[in-house]
Amino acid sequence: MARLVRIVIGLGLCAGIGSIPVATLAQQQGGAAWDYTGKLGPFHWGKLDPAYKTCADGKEQSPIDIRGAHLDKNLQPIEFHYLAGPMTLVNTGHTVQVTAAPGSYIIANGTRYDLVQFHFHHPGEEAVKGTLPDMDVHLVHKSADGKIAVVAVRLMEGNANAVLAALWEHLPKTVGASDKMPDLMSPLGLIPRDPGYWMYEGSLTAPPCTEGVQWFVMERPVELSRGQLRAFGALYPVNSRMLQSPHGRKVEASE
Ligand SMILES: [Zn+2]
């Protein structure tokens, strides 16, 4: 599966397959248009807009291949204080993004970060020892002083995931479309039970590639069914950035 995923990425970048519209919500919000393939793809992001310069010049970019992690016995498990609440899904033109109701937060490495949104990449961006996951979910959090922390969970084909089953009923098919879920939902079912995680300093994985982002990559993946994988893949055949050089950064592992 991992090998197949890599081939698909290669094709995507070279031949520009996929038909994701380039006039996206991000463009409407002021930044230059960007995409995951072709002339607006990840190799060119840094030149598309002065505001995206870090995508090309940054030395702490994400995603990275996670290997050789250093065990840090002082790292505590992340506390997930996720509430059930209303959720809204938006097709941004780059992903499907879910906005959670206020009140959900994590305590990670001694800091409280409030959950802002979560979204998906296909294939997943977090490689572990060179292997990319089928998909991933990025849960984006912000602290009171503006520090961003992303919890990344790798999604691998297997049994169906209940949270995704509920969310996928409301997948907005066209760019700019949104759908609000009628039921109260908690994203906790997207987090593996095993508390192990890797921690490193990185960036947003999409323009403007802002650095200073604290990454927490859960060590255990979560399963999703082949049907769930295909449903997202039909909307976004490729919406992931290629791996970035660690430039000497260290990855720490919790116990
Ligand atoms: Zn992401």
Side-chain angles (χ1 to χ4, degrees), residues 36 95 117 119-121 125-126 136-140 150 204-206 215 239:
Y36 284 103
T95 186
Q117 48 98 343
H119 60 265
F120 301 90
H121 296 275
E125 295 184 320
E126 277 70 43
D136 64 32
V137 55
H138 287 164
L139 299 113
V140 182
V150 182
L204 302 179
T205 66
W215 280 85
N239 71 330

Side-chain angles (χ1 to χ4, degrees), residues 1-248:
M1 192 62 203
R3 177 172 295 183
L4 180 65
V5 163
R6 288 182 160 203
I7 292 167
V8 171
I9 292 176
L11 281 174
L13 292 173
C14 298
I17 57 165
S19 56
I20 303 166
V22 293
T24 63
L25 292 184
Q27 189 181 9
Q28 289 160 20
Q29 286 161 6
W34 57 273
D35 204 350
Y36 284 103
T37 57
K39 289 182 177 165
L40 301 181
F43 289 108
H44 309 288
W45 287 350
K47 289 172 269 171
L48 298 176
D49 190 317
Y52 302 167
K53 203 168 171 290
T54 310
C55 300
D57 298 351
K59 295 289 186 282
E60 294 199 334
Q61 290 289 291
S62 295
I64 59 169
D65 183 24
I66 293 172
R67 59 174 72 222
H70 167 80
L71 180 65
D72 184 344
K73 292 188 173 179
N74 295 318
L75 284 179
Q76 299 298 311
I78 300 167
E79 290 178 30
F80 290 92
H81 299 272
Y82 285 171
L83 306 173
M87 289 190 185
T88 303
L89 293 82
V90 181
N91 185 326
T92 67
H94 297 125
T95 186
V96 172
Q97 183 170 303
V98 185
T99 310
S104 288
Y105 66 97
I106 57 170
I107 306 280
N109 205 20
T111 302
R112 173 182 166 141
Y113 299 93
D114 292 307
L115 178 63
V116 181
Q117 48 98 343
F118 58 94
H119 60 265
F120 301 90
H121 296 275
H122 173 265
E125 295 184 320
E126 277 70 43
V128 177
K129 293 179 181 163
T131 301
L132 290 171
D134 296 324
M135 274 185 69
D136 64 32
V137 55
H138 287 164
L139 299 113
V140 182
H141 306 74
K142 214 173 201 177
S143 70
D145 61 358
K147 171 100 173 165
I148 294 174
V150 182
V151 173
V153 181
R154 294 174 298 138
L155 304 175
M156 303 292 271
E157 189 181 318
N159 293 315
N161 177 278
V163 173
L164 293 183
L167 288 172
W168 272 203
E169 293 279 321
H170 301 274
L171 270 183
K173 302 286 193 300
T174 54
V175 173
S178 66
D179 197 349
K180 190 168 181 176
M181 293 183 56
D183 304 321
L184 303 184
M185 283 280 302
S186 164
L188 200 57
L190 295 170
I191 307 295
R193 292 208 177 140
D194 189 296
Y197 63 90
W198 295 292
M199 184 178 84
Y200 81 97
E201 282 276 339
S203 73
L204 302 179
T205 66
C209 307
T210 310
E211 296 190 338
V213 174
Q214 189 70 63
W215 280 85
F216 299 97
V217 180
M218 302 307 291
E219 290 186 21
R220 291 289 169 91
V222 162
E223 293 184 3
L224 83 171
S225 70
R226 178 174 293 194
Q228 290 176 329
L229 185 58
R230 286 184 174 173
F232 189 88
L235 284 185
Y236 286 99
V238 178
N239 71 330
S240 48
R241 188 188 195 190
M242 66 285 190
L243 294 170
Q244 304 294 302
S245 167
H247 290 293

